[in-house]
Amino acid sequence: MFQMIPAVIQFPDLSPILFELDLGPIHFALHWYALAYIGGFLIGWLLIMRALKTPRLWPNDTPPMDRTAFEDLLTWLILGVIVGGRLGYVLFYKPGYYLSHPIEIPMVWQGGMAFHGGFIGVVIAAALWGRKHKVPLGSLADMLAMATPPGLMLGRIANFVNAELWGKPWDGPWAVVFPGDAAQACATISAPCARHPSQLYEAGMEGLILGGLLLVMVWGFRAFKRPDLVAGVFFAGYGISRFIVEFFRQADGQFITATNPNGAVFAGMQMGQLLSLPMILIGMFFVVRALRGPRSA
């Protein structure tokens, strides 16, 4: 028996490519997803530069680094995001495919990045840079956490524009009919099959709400004066947001089988939920430790 969805929102006529041109033998195309990465880094850079120019926000009214040092750090972070995000996607989501096609692992332009992998890459890059330059890791983590949500929000909006990572079938008032055979392959729903716009849920929770909370903490309550507090709220906040959204998001196709239609990988959880649990626990640990310690001047 098929279920009919009476009222849906047709996916807007959006192209994943902002513009494209040919430069002799070279074809260049600027994708919205690439623009989201660029915009996220730019907004994060502006937020950090503003914070570094405001000594009263930091422990002992002393920023942990100057502009030149931060620009050096930015190079490390970009590499951490790209390498970590790609390897995370390869290891967490398609290890079998890339084991058979190892030459495709560095082909990031074909798509395939994992936030949790990019997060690990950034943590490693920042920790190595911080130790090398003797920058307090707590303040460094707080600074980067404050600057991350805008990039998450833009990235999720780009996912929506690309009509990818959509949600589960739904008949609610803002359900969206995404294009493509995969999006329309709903076993119990006749066409058109509408779905949760879970990309926009993530943009709102991980980007707008979490980002706004962190900015209020930093600028309204000077949370940088308790090292690890902002980073802890970010870790836990992202993990909780992602865990919740996964209830509405379609599981990755490689985990869906006839006997496992929900794509669970462990204890009924999807991969995104499983990977978010350590972030929640680590974040809560940082928050408790920061609140128990003394607040600096």
Side-chain angles (χ1 to χ4, degrees):
M1 179 67 67
F2 283 109
Q3 173 188 356
M4 296 292 292
I5 296 182
V8 297
I9 299 174
Q10 293 294 328
F11 185 79
D13 185 16
L14 297 172
S15 171
I17 301 175
L18 177 61
F19 71 85
E20 52 187 328
L21 52 87
D22 292 312
L23 301 173
I26 300 175
H27 179 75
F28 176 79
L30 180 60
H31 290 251
W32 284 105
Y33 200 71
L35 194 62
Y37 266 84
I38 296 171
F41 273 113
L42 179 60
I43 295 172
W45 178 81
L46 292 173
L47 288 173
I48 289 175
M49 292 306 300
R50 179 68 183 275
L52 291 175
K53 293 178 181 178
T54 311
R56 62 182 173 81
L57 298 178
W58 303 94
N60 302 314
D61 295 338
T62 304
M65 68 185 73
D66 58 21
R67 173 172 179 165
T68 301
F70 172 64
E71 291 175 347
D72 178 54
L73 168 63
L74 193 59
T75 302
W76 289 56
L77 298 179
I78 292 173
L79 291 175
V81 167
I82 295 174
V83 175
R86 184 59 171 175
L87 291 180
Y89 180 78
V90 169
L91 295 174
F92 298 150
Y93 293 96
K94 290 189 174 182
Y97 175 83
Y98 286 104
L99 185 63
S100 303
H101 304 80
I103 194 173
E104 295 185 22
I105 292 177
M107 297 180 182
V108 295
W109 56 88
Q110 293 184 351
M113 299 283 282
F115 169 80
H116 294 90
F119 167 76
I120 294 172
V122 166
V123 169
I124 293 174
L128 292 174
W129 185 91
R131 291 188 180 278
K132 177 181 178 181
H133 295 275
K134 296 181 173 58
V135 173
L137 295 183
S139 292
L140 179 57
D142 288 341
M143 180 182 75
L144 297 178
M146 175 197 67
T148 299
L152 295 178
M153 181 177 69
L154 293 176
R156 294 310 180 190
I157 293 174
N159 289 146
F160 179 82
V161 172
N162 289 347
E164 60 188 2
L165 304 182
W166 17 257
K168 296 177 180 178
W170 186 48
D171 61 354
W174 56 84
V176 176
V177 178
F178 290 97
D181 293 339
Q184 290 301 305
C186 301
T188 60
I189 299 176
S190 60
C193 173
R195 296 175 177 273
H196 282 281
S198 55
Q199 315 97 321
L200 301 183
Y201 300 170
E202 291 188 78
M205 295 181 68
E206 303 165 5
L208 190 62
I209 295 175
L210 180 57
L213 173 61
L214 297 182
L215 291 177
V216 169
M217 289 175 59
V218 170
W219 294 93
F221 297 94
R222 302 188 186 182
F224 280 165
K225 290 185 176 290
R226 288 187 180 273
D228 291 328
L229 179 58
V230 174
V233 172
F234 170 76
F235 296 159
Y238 175 86
I240 292 171
S241 299
R242 180 67 181 270
F243 196 93
I244 293 172
V245 171
E246 288 290 323
F247 286 112
F248 306 97
R249 181 178 173 181
Q250 182 76 11
D252 295 278
Q254 61 268 32
F255 300 120
I256 298 177
T257 65
T259 58
N260 183 25
N262 292 322
V265 294
F266 179 76
M269 293 184 291
Q270 295 182 183
M271 178 60 79
Q273 292 174 315
L274 185 63
L275 295 175
S276 294
L277 285 179
M279 290 193 69
I280 297 173
L281 296 175
I282 291 171
M284 293 175 63
F285 170 77
F286 280 156
V287 169
V288 171
R289 186 174 70 174
L291 292 177
R292 284 183 174 178
R295 185 179 187 273
S296 69

